[in-house]
Structure formats: C-alpha cells, structure tokens
Amino acid sequence: MKVAVMGYGTVGSGVVEVIESHSNIIPKRIGGDTLEVAHILDLRDFPNDPHKDIFTKDFNDILNDPEVKIVAETMGGVNPAFDFTMKLLKAGKSVVTSNKELVAQKGLELLQAAEESGANYLIEASVGGGIPIIRPLTQCLAANNIEGIAGILNGTTNFILTMMIEKGMSFDEALKIAQEKGYAEKDPTADVEGHDACRKVCILASLAFGKHVYPSQVSAEGITNISLEDVSYINSVNGVIKLLGQIKYISDDKIAAFVSPAVVYNGSQLASVKDVFNAVLVRGDAVGDVCFYGAGAGKLPTASAVVADIIDCAKHTERKKIFGWGAGDEDYVVDYKSTIKMPFYVRANAGESEISAKFDDVKFLSRTGQPSNEVAFITDIMTENELTQRLEGVDVINTIKVTNY
Amino acid sequence: MKVAVMGYGTVGSGVVEVIESHSNIIPKRIGGDTLEVAHILDLRDFPNDPHKDIFTKDFNDILNDPEVKIVAETMGGVNPAFDFTMKLLKAGKSVVTSNKELVAQKGLELLQAAEESGANYLIEASVGGGIPIIRPLTQCLAANNIEGIAGILNGTTNFILTMMIEKGMSFDEALKIAQEKGYAEKDPTADVEGHDACRKVCILASLAFGKHVYPSQVSAEGITNISLEDVSYINSVNGVIKLLGQIKYISDDKIAAFVSPAVVYNGSQLASVKDVFNAVLVRGDAVGDVCFYGAGAGKLPTASAVVADIIDCAKHTERKKIFGWGAGDEDYVVDYKSTIKMPFYVRANAGESEISAKFDDVKFLSRTGQPSNEVAFITDIMTENELTQRLEGVDVINTIKVTNY
C-alpha cells in the first residue's frame, strides 16, 4: 500500500524511518499488506538522502496519485497544511497528522470533510507525541462520562520545572540547558508561555466532550513567573509545580479549560512525571482516574504514533472510523475565574496577621531563608476572582492554582 | 441493540449499571443505536433486583435469541464460561469478557472461533480492570517492536506491599486489612502467590508477541517471603518492592515471562503506583517507555472496560476487528533463570567479607537495627542460576530481582 509523507522535518523523517525499519511487523498489524513511501513532499533539498528519488516539491504529485490512499501530514503550522489536507480529504484520501496547531484551529472543518468523503482524519500524534491518548479516550473510555482531564502536555516546560525542583536551578539557567539539549527553541515563547499546551488542551477537550474548542477560548499562563522561592515553599508541603492543562466538565453546554502552573501534591501520578515526559490523567465517572505516561515529543516516539494511525487507516480502507466532534460556540468555554473553585498558593510581602484577617482558613508555609516580611500560604477553595478580591491591598508576589488531580 | 450479560456478580452487575446509567452517551459513541440488556444469565436468584424479568438460568435463552448479537461474559473461571463463549462465537455472536482465567487458558481457541465465524472476541477488561491497555498495545503501539513489558497487575498484593512500605505493617497485618476492606479474599492464595498476575502476564505476552502463552509456562513467585527488613534495606537505596509481571522479547521464537517481587527504584513510573492501583509499562523500540495507570479491579472500573468493548462490537457489527494471536509452543517461553541477566537484592546471615569473596562487585545496604551477622546487598547483573551458584554455602534469607523498568 502506497503512502505519502508531507514535511520531512524531525517527525516526517521519523515516519519514513519507522515505516522502513518496521517492515517486519507492519504487514502483520495491517493484515497482510506492506507500506511503501511513494512520495515525500518538502520544499527543501536533501541531496544526500537515500530517498531522493521520491522527493517532490509539488503537492499535486501526491493529490493526483491514485495509488496513494493515505498521507501523513507532518508539516506543522496552519498554512499550507490546511489547504493540502482539505484537498486530500475531499479527494477521498485519508490523512494522519502530528500537527496540533492545525487540529486545534481547523480540526472541525477537516473532520467534517473526512466524514463527507468517507476518508479518515486521524490525529493520535497531535497530543502527547507517542503516548496513546486519542484512542484510549475515544474507545476504551467510551462508557464513561468524563469529569475532567489534567495533563502535563509540554516537555520543554516540564524539563525546566524539573531542573528547578531537583537541581535548584533558576528558570533562566534551566531554559538555557533546555535550549542546549534541543528541547527548547531559540524563541521559547510557544512552550514557556503555555501556547503549545493550550493547543493540546483544545484537542483533548474537543474529543472528550464533543464540541470544538479553539485556542482563543482557553486562557494560557506560562511558567516564567515561577521562582525557586515558590518551588521551595511548595516542596515544604510535599508538592511540586507543574504546567498543567486542565479541562472540567460543567454541563453538556459548558466546560472550563485553562493552562497554568499548578501545585500537584506528591502521590498524584502527575507529580512523578519528570524531565521531558508528558502524562495525561483522565477522570471518568465509572473508571475513576486513569493516567497515560510517555515521551510527549521527539522524532521516533511521535513518528510511531503517526505510523500507528497509518496502520489503522490501512486496516479501515473501506470503512470510516466513527471519530470526531461537532461545532463549538462562543459561550461553550466558561470564564473559569468566576466559576471553578480550588485552593491557591499565594506568596506575598506581608505578615501572617494581615493574611489571617483576609482569609478564614489558610495554611502558612515556610522555607529556609524566608525573609521576615514574606509570607506564603495555601488558601481554602474559592474562585480566582474571589481570591483576587480578598488579596486587594496585599503586595502579592505570585499566586499558583492548586489542582485536585 | 440487544445485549446479554452472563454472570451477575460484581463485574456483571456493574456492566448492567454502566449500560443503564450511561444511556446519555452510549448512542453517540456507537453512532446512533442504544444498548438494551435483554437477558442476564445467573444460576442464583435475585428476587429484589429490578431486572428480575430478564434473568434466566438457561444459557439457551441467550444463544437462541436472534436479536442478541453481543454478549458480556463476566462469570469468571474456565467452566462453563468456555463452553458458553465457544457456542456464542460459533453462532456468530460477539463476546466481550473480563475473565482473565479463561482468556489465559483458552484465548487462542476462542479467538480462532471468532475469526472463523466473523464475530469479535474482545478482552480489554481481562487485564488491568478499567485501564486501557489491550487497545493501546495492539493499535497505538502497532508501529513498535515491543522490547518488554512490566506490570503491577494485582491490586491486592500492591495494597499489601504499600501498607508494608508506608505504614511499616507486617505482611500478616496488611493482609488482614486487605481482607477487611474486601480487597483480598478469605483464601488469598491466587493473589499473594502471584497466580492472578500470572494470567494477566500470559494475556499481555500473547498479545504483544503474537503467540499464546499459557500460565503453566510462566514462573510465578508471590510476596509471602517479603519482610519489613527487606523493605527497610531497599528503602535505603531509594527503592520499593513491587510484585511485577515481566515479559522480555528475546527473538521471534523466544520470550521470557515471569511474575515475582522486584526492586523498583523511585523515579520509575511503577514505583509511584500505590494501594490497589495497577500500571502497565510497555517499552517499544520507537516510542520508548509508555505507562498506563488506573484502577486494576473493582466493579465500575472493570465494567466500564467491558462496556467499552460492547460499544466497539456494536460499531463493528458487519466487520471483524483484526485482533488476536496464534498458537504458542512448548519451548517458546525460555527458562529465565538461565537466560535473563539482572541485578539481585540478597539478604543473608553472613559477613561482608564472606560476600565480597564470592562476588566481584556488590553494593552493601544497611538498616536501623541491623544485626551484626546480617548482610544485605545488591549484586552486579547476572542470571539467577549464576546467583544461586555464587551463593552456595551462604545462609541466604531472601533474594529479590531488581528490575530495569
């Protein structure tokens, strides 16, 4: 069976490698047929690549090849990936993707196009790299009302936070090492400001609750404000700071979804997720908490998820998988700040008596080297708006949500 | 769509409950149709149960109902579950099961019968209760050569070990509490001797490597020999003792598979799995380590996995899923004691010099209250047979494998 790969970057070249290096098992998994990469689309030249005979710069070579029924889109970005994917799906070709930006922005239209033409649009690699999450969520947990999801969805920020927690590095030092190791880009904004995690939250929310959620609907707060002082206070209550994407079911017409640093207590499966690893915890009404852990990025892990989707398409050539979601709407994602109650960690230049006068019930924390005019505490549960109100007049240094996952 | 449930115990009654309490989402997941429980087979009487009109003691009521196309088998045990399942599959009805004993003993024959008649035999609930593992292993990781699997597959023993590690309870005390809480049966043999975990290892191994593995081929060692002294020594090197099922690929014709207590170092995802929770770690050549965590047993978690399989059958009525494994053979599972090298923890009545004379490279451990004639150490990697040879003449109290997961 002939397939094409669009985008020969890290993931795309990994897809070609995994297909070629797993020719021993792929036919068994498909049920007989082999996979053959017939075209690789990339505008760049790869003169020394052993696949040079199958490179093309013309998308039409793929679109017009009647033998190619499955295409892997590993280009990233919305354009021209959207246009290419749409044309392929309309032509009845199945597309599998690792492109979270495209799925988060345009997943609805692409899934609808697939639905209409009878092709498949599969997206396992768009969340959590190699971690199986899309299928478990849609198939294995199909008999659950999902109550909530919390995920460590960005490896770069998890690496930085791990260095801060375990090695006592500052954010800047940890970022520098992440860049040296190739985990963080030169401009790390998309990672450290939570935009990358935000896209994955959109995809998980769309899938779990059946309505498209757009990145613009999800508030994203990054980790640049986290200091070693915060790490130290939170360590004193057996907690760690993680960048979490959180999704909460409110009603069939309302969900909350946000990305932010969060205090996770040790004992949670999310607390032990270190370095560049990712994990997604799903809370179902029947199954309770289940958690999926693994490499959230990287060439071969992500490629292995793309190829698993290709295999699935190859097994289902004559039949569409029931998979997807419907349209969302403007009011679907609520303002979590006025809706969702939780405890908060607060650090401020203040005295305990000033805080005690403003909160009924707080737990004060301490750290080595704590200045006499600094206070840190964990509040009772309340909305973020109520917290802001109570903190009026207090010289706040930082506040961090405390999660119940 | 009409379904039947065979066996109205904990899981079976959970299946009926999940189907009824999730009528809001099940039609969406199937693609329109609803599920209706038409028959419940059980030899017992349930005079006050609201489903009393649909109870039957006659299996033929299910076999001969042409409207019932999907049957959940939650009876447990090999007989009469095997006979019933075989008749249903031969009649072209799909069967979904939580019965690990049946799948481990007779899975091959039943999968072949399903293959021949075009029905589905789905087994998600037979390993890890509600944790999605069967589908992720067969679908999401389809583009990987699996190198190994390690799992905490029995909640009862994990609860007992957690109590020993965290509360300093003896094995007997912890077992008593497990029995009081309903986690352990009056006769706890199947759990504490590793037989239950052994069945799940057989199913995972069969699925991951494509040849049936029988419980008689898998050596199973339980946790009754574990003492608080061992817990304490191992804690001193940041490790914990877990009952692990381990499977290792050797070649297409050879695997190793065994169940035993194992030292897991903190930092491993398996180390943080506590109480009755289960986890399965899969090591793939492309994806690296992925780990699936959740409730490994219990009424609603297990039932939710059974119902997910029913939903999958309902979506695939006209098409067989490609799923299953082939025949195994007598020599397929090697004697791991002569084959697999690993480090070992050893506790003995001996002095350090006696040990140092017998091993090139050991790391001695210590504990509070250590008697002067007691020694504990971790060896270099070697086979278990080599360990036994080297320990000849030493007054050994306990040896425990050290895992590399």
Side-chain angles (χ1 to χ4, degrees):
Chain A
M1 193 173 295
K2 289 189 176 179
V3 301
V5 176
M6 304 196 300
Y8 199 62
T10 306
V11 178
S13 59
V15 168
V16 175
E17 183 179 331
V18 168
I19 289 175
E20 292 178 349
S21 60
H22 290 71
S23 56
N24 61 330
I25 51 164
I26 288 173
K28 287 186 226 166
R29 307 281 159 91
I30 295 180
D33 221 338
T34 55
L35 291 181
E36 181 200 335
V37 181
H39 307 279
I40 300 171
L41 177 71
D42 203 297
L43 294 180
R44 294 167 292 182
D45 289 310
F46 299 89
N48 301 317
D49 192 283
H51 305 93
K52 59 178 181 291
D53 295 346
I54 55 170
F55 275 100
T56 176
K57 293 177 183 180
D58 183 359
F59 165 68
N60 290 307
D61 286 349
I62 294 172
L63 183 65
N64 297 328
D65 185 340
E67 289 189 70
V68 170
K69 299 270 196 298
I70 306 165
V71 180
E73 184 269 297
T74 51
M75 306 168 70
V78 173
N79 292 309
F82 174 64
D83 179 47
F84 290 176
T85 303
M86 188 57 100
K87 284 181 176 148
L88 291 166
L89 293 171
K90 285 193 170 164
K93 296 183 197 293
S94 288
V95 178
V96 305
T97 188
S98 60
N99 186 339
K100 56 215 167 217
E101 198 177 345
L102 181 61
V103 178
Q105 293 285 1
K106 299 285 189 180
L108 177 66
E109 289 154 84
L110 292 169
L111 286 161
Q112 281 175 343
E115 181 71 40
E116 281 161 22
S117 74
N120 284 304
Y121 183 50
L122 301 186
I123 62 171
E124 183 67 69
S126 69
V127 180
I131 308 172
I133 174 65
I134 303 292
R135 266 180 204 77
L137 193 56
T138 50
Q139 298 184 355
C140 307
L141 303 179
N144 281 267
N145 287 299
I146 305 297
E147 297 175 347
I149 299 176
I152 295 172
L153 299 166
N154 180 272
T156 309
T157 45
N158 202 53
F159 176 82
I160 292 171
L161 290 170
T162 303
M163 291 299 108
M164 293 175 73
I165 294 163
E166 303 208 331
K167 312 269 183 197
M169 281 183 201
S170 70
F171 172 83
D172 290 332
E173 284 176 282
L175 172 61
K176 202 170 151 237
I177 292 182
Q179 285 170 322
E180 283 165 10
K181 285 181 177 271
Y183 299 154
E185 296 183 46
K186 213 171 157 189
D187 175 1
T189 312
D191 289 324
V192 300
E193 296 297 355
H195 304 154
D196 174 74
C198 173
R199 291 170 193 142
K200 294 166 182 169
V201 161
C202 292
I203 298 170
L204 289 173
S206 302
L207 205 57
F209 300 111
K211 294 188 184 188
H212 196 107
V213 172
Y214 293 91
S216 59
Q217 297 179 289
V218 175
S219 128
E221 184 190 332
I223 62 165
T224 52
N225 279 340
I226 304 298
S227 71
L228 287 176
E229 289 77 13
D230 300 318
V231 168
S232 177
Y233 280 119
I234 288 163
N235 179 54
S236 77
V237 282
N238 287 314
V240 289
I241 303 172
K242 294 290 182 188
L243 182 70
L244 285 195
Q246 296 190 66
I247 308 164
K248 285 175 197 287
Y249 172 86
I250 297 171
S251 70
D252 283 355
D253 300 317
K254 297 279 176 226
I255 66 162
F258 47 96
V259 173
S260 73
V263 175
V264 181
Y265 289 113
N266 292 325
S268 162
Q269 282 299 298
L270 295 174
S272 58
V273 176
K274 294 181 183 175
D275 299 324
V276 290
F277 285 91
N278 282 197
V280 180
L281 189 155
V282 181
R283 186 165 286 171
D285 66 343
V287 76
D289 286 358
V290 293
C291 189
F292 307 91
Y293 164 95
K299 180 176 180 167
L300 294 183
T302 308
S304 90
V306 173
V307 177
D309 273 352
I310 295 176
I311 291 171
D312 213 3
C313 287
K315 282 160 68 176
H316 290 84
T317 42
E318 76 276 36
R319 189 155 180 282
K320 175 91 189 68
K321 298 196 61 149
I322 299 168
F323 167 79
W325 55 77
D329 63 65
E330 242 177 73
D331 303 331
Y332 177 53
V333 182
V334 303
D335 173 20
Y336 79 88
K337 291 184 183 177
S338 62
T339 320
I340 304 292
K341 290 186 177 185
M342 61 191 122
F344 290 86
Y345 158 89
V346 180
R347 181 159 67 101
N349 291 312
E352 292 197 0
S353 57
E354 184 185 349
I355 299 304
S356 296
K358 288 176 179 279
F359 290 88
D360 309 324
D361 186 18
V362 298
K363 178 186 171 66
F364 289 104
L365 314 182
S366 62
R367 68 172 173 99
T368 316
Q370 178 175 3
S372 61
N373 65 335
E374 185 181 271
V375 74
F377 56 96
I378 306 252
T379 71
D380 206 351
I381 65 162
M382 60 187 64
T383 64
E384 193 156 328
N385 284 349
E386 186 185 343
L387 177 78
T388 307
Q389 216 170 7
R390 286 189 187 237
L391 286 173
E392 221 163 86
V394 177
D395 182 7
V396 174
I397 307 171
N398 205 357
T399 68
I400 304 176
K401 297 167 183 64
V402 178
T403 189
N404 63 340
Y405 290 96
Chain B
M1 193 172 294
K2 289 190 176 177
V3 301
V5 176
M6 305 196 299
Y8 199 61
T10 305
V11 178
S13 61
V15 168
V16 175
E17 184 179 332
V18 168
I19 289 176
E20 292 178 349
S21 60
H22 290 71
S23 56
N24 61 330
I25 51 163
I26 288 173
K28 286 186 228 167
R29 308 280 160 91
I30 295 180
D33 220 338
T34 55
L35 291 181
E36 181 201 334
V37 181
H39 307 279
I40 300 171
L41 178 71
D42 203 297
L43 294 181
R44 294 166 293 181
D45 289 311
F46 299 88
N48 301 317
D49 193 283
H51 305 92
K52 58 177 181 291
D53 295 345
I54 55 171
F55 274 101
T56 176
K57 293 178 183 178
D58 183 359
F59 165 69
N60 290 308
D61 286 348
I62 294 172
L63 183 65
N64 298 328
D65 184 340
E67 288 189 72
V68 171
K69 298 271 195 297
I70 306 166
V71 179
E73 184 269 298
T74 51
M75 306 169 70
V78 173
N79 292 309
F82 175 64
D83 180 47
F84 290 177
T85 303
M86 189 57 99
K87 283 180 176 148
L88 291 166
L89 293 172
K90 285 192 170 166
K93 296 183 197 293
S94 287
V95 178
V96 305
T97 188
S98 60
N99 187 339
K100 56 215 167 217
E101 198 177 346
L102 181 62
V103 178
Q105 292 286 0
K106 300 285 188 180
L108 177 66
E109 290 154 83
L110 293 169
L111 286 161
Q112 282 175 343
E115 183 69 41
E116 281 161 22
S117 74
N120 283 304
Y121 183 51
L122 300 187
I123 63 170
E124 182 67 67
S126 69
V127 179
I131 308 171
I133 175 64
I134 302 292
R135 265 180 204 76
L137 192 57
T138 51
Q139 298 184 355
C140 307
L141 304 179
N144 281 267
N145 287 300
I146 305 297
E147 296 174 348
I149 298 176
I152 295 172
L153 298 166
N154 179 271
T156 309
T157 45
N158 202 51
F159 176 82
I160 292 171
L161 290 169
T162 304
M163 291 299 108
M164 293 175 71
I165 293 163
E166 302 207 332
K167 313 268 184 200
M169 282 182 199
S170 69
F171 173 82
D172 291 332
E173 284 176 283
L175 172 60
K176 200 168 153 239
I177 291 182
Q179 285 170 323
E180 283 165 10
K181 285 182 178 271
Y183 299 154
E185 295 182 46
K186 211 170 159 191
D187 175 1
T189 312
D191 290 324
V192 300
E193 295 297 355
H195 303 155
D196 174 75
C198 174
R199 290 171 192 142
K200 295 165 183 170
V201 161
C202 292
I203 298 170
L204 290 173
S206 302
L207 205 57
F209 300 111
K211 294 188 185 188
H212 196 108
V213 172
Y214 293 92
S216 59
Q217 296 178 290
V218 175
S219 126
E221 184 190 331
I223 62 165
T224 52
N225 279 340
I226 305 297
S227 71
L228 287 176
E229 288 77 13
D230 300 318
V231 167
S232 178
Y233 280 118
I234 289 164
N235 179 54
S236 77
V237 282
N238 287 312
V240 289
I241 304 171
K242 294 289 181 189
L243 183 69
L244 285 195
Q246 296 189 66
I247 308 164
K248 286 176 197 287
Y249 172 86
I250 298 171
S251 71
D252 284 356
D253 299 316
K254 297 279 176 223
I255 65 162
F258 47 96
V259 173
S260 72
V263 175
V264 181
Y265 289 112
N266 293 324
S268 162
Q269 283 299 298
L270 295 174
S272 58
V273 177
K274 294 180 183 176
D275 299 325
V276 290
F277 285 92
N278 282 196
V280 180
L281 189 156
V282 181
R283 185 164 287 170
D285 66 342
V287 77
D289 286 357
V290 294
C291 189
F292 307 91
Y293 164 95
K299 180 176 179 166
L300 294 183
T302 308
S304 91
V306 173
V307 177
D309 273 352
I310 294 177
I311 290 171
D312 213 5
C313 286
K315 283 160 68 176
H316 290 85
T317 42
E318 77 276 36
R319 188 157 182 282
K320 175 92 188 69
K321 298 198 61 151
I322 300 168
F323 167 79
W325 56 77
D329 64 64
E330 243 177 73
D331 303 330
Y332 178 52
V333 182
V334 302
D335 172 21
Y336 79 87
K337 292 183 182 177
S338 61
T339 319
I340 305 292
K341 290 186 177 186
M342 61 190 121
F344 291 85
Y345 158 90
V346 180
R347 181 160 66 101
N349 291 312
E352 291 197 0
S353 57
E354 184 185 348
I355 299 303
S356 296
K358 289 175 178 279
F359 290 88
D360 309 323
D361 186 17
V362 297
K363 179 187 170 68
F364 289 103
L365 315 181
S366 62
R367 66 172 175 99
T368 317
Q370 179 175 1
S372 61
N373 65 334
E374 185 180 271
V375 74
F377 56 96
I378 306 244
T379 71
D380 207 350
I381 66 162
M382 60 187 65
T383 64
E384 193 157 328
N385 284 349
E386 186 185 342
L387 177 78
T388 308
Q389 215 170 4
R390 286 189 188 237
L391 286 173
E392 221 163 85
V394 177
D395 182 7
V396 175
I397 307 170
N398 205 357
T399 68
I400 304 177
K401 297 168 183 65
V402 178
T403 187
N404 63 339
Y405 290 97

